[in-house]
Amino acid sequence: MIDPLIDDWEVLDALVAGASGCAGVVRTCHWHQRSIDDVVRRYGASVWARRDPDGRVGQPLDHAVGDRQELFERLMVIDVERADEVGLWLPRQRALVFGDAMIRSGTGELRVCPDSWTQPKGGSARLRSLLADLTELPVEHVLVSHGPLVLGDGLASLRRAIA
């Protein structure tokens, strides 16, 4: 699970049972703790997340992740250098997943997070550079935590957002 925010445990219980359990939880950034504690207790799952590079104590984690690390034979961690945030690449789904580094407007337009949000050293120019590296991937979808769900048009929307 990625940044779970659960409001229907019955449906999730059925999905987890059908998958023979929960392989783990990936937290994209400490402020997305959401339902993670409940998921850990309910399914006995471990939490994978990036440690804060400045040594600040955020939320608990069981396994620290690093850039380009593969998890669960299903996804790859992408360091976006924003506090303890990571993005994720899901190769089978050809999807990028972001907690806060990228957002969507109310009309579904993909955007880089506002400059007023936490930025990597080097500011939004550095973040755009990191995101530009991802245009080498065969991206079909860009999934974000903030804004409407939009499927398809992933690579083109990514390129427009970082231009």
Side-chain angles (χ1 to χ4, degrees):
M1 291 183 212
I2 301 168
D3 290 348
L5 181 59
I6 312 303
D7 60 1
D8 190 341
W9 287 100
E10 237 179 83
V11 169
L12 186 58
D13 287 344
L15 288 170
V16 170
S20 300
C22 176
V25 177
V26 179
R27 184 179 55 236
T28 61
C29 46
H30 71 269
W31 48 88
H32 281 200
Q33 185 67 13
R34 301 171 170 175
S35 300
I36 289 176
D37 291 337
D38 295 328
V39 167
V40 166
R41 278 191 298 276
R42 192 173 191 107
Y43 304 120
S46 295
V47 177
W48 278 258
R50 183 169 177 246
R51 291 193 192 286
D52 188 293
D54 295 327
R56 292 179 293 232
V57 176
Q59 300 293 340
L61 58 96
D62 300 301
H63 308 280
V65 299
D67 191 36
R68 309 298 175 175
Q69 181 177 348
E70 187 177 309
L71 299 177
F72 318 114
E73 298 179 2
R74 293 189 177 131
L75 55 90
M76 182 178 66
V77 173
I78 300 165
D79 187 354
V80 293
E81 298 180 13
R82 296 180 66 246
D84 64 350
E85 185 174 355
V86 295
L88 301 168
W89 168 240
L90 286 66
R92 289 184 209 162
Q93 294 81 7
R94 298 171 68 126
L96 287 168
V97 179
F98 294 99
D100 283 354
M102 301 206 79
I103 60 174
R104 288 198 184 272
S105 69
T107 60
E109 178 186 1
L110 187 65
R111 297 181 180 168
V112 176
C113 69
D115 289 348
S116 62
W117 292 17
T118 301
Q119 294 296 344
K121 291 180 178 138
S124 63
R126 174 63 180 154
L127 178 57
R128 288 175 189 279
S129 173
L130 292 165
L131 296 170
D133 291 344
L134 302 178
T135 62
E136 300 299 319
L137 297 170
V139 179
E140 287 185 21
H141 314 288
V142 179
L143 308 175
V144 299
S145 293
H146 302 283
L149 175 64
V150 175
L151 296 176
D153 194 36
L155 189 55
S157 66
L158 178 62
R159 287 182 172 145
R160 284 191 302 272
I162 61 176

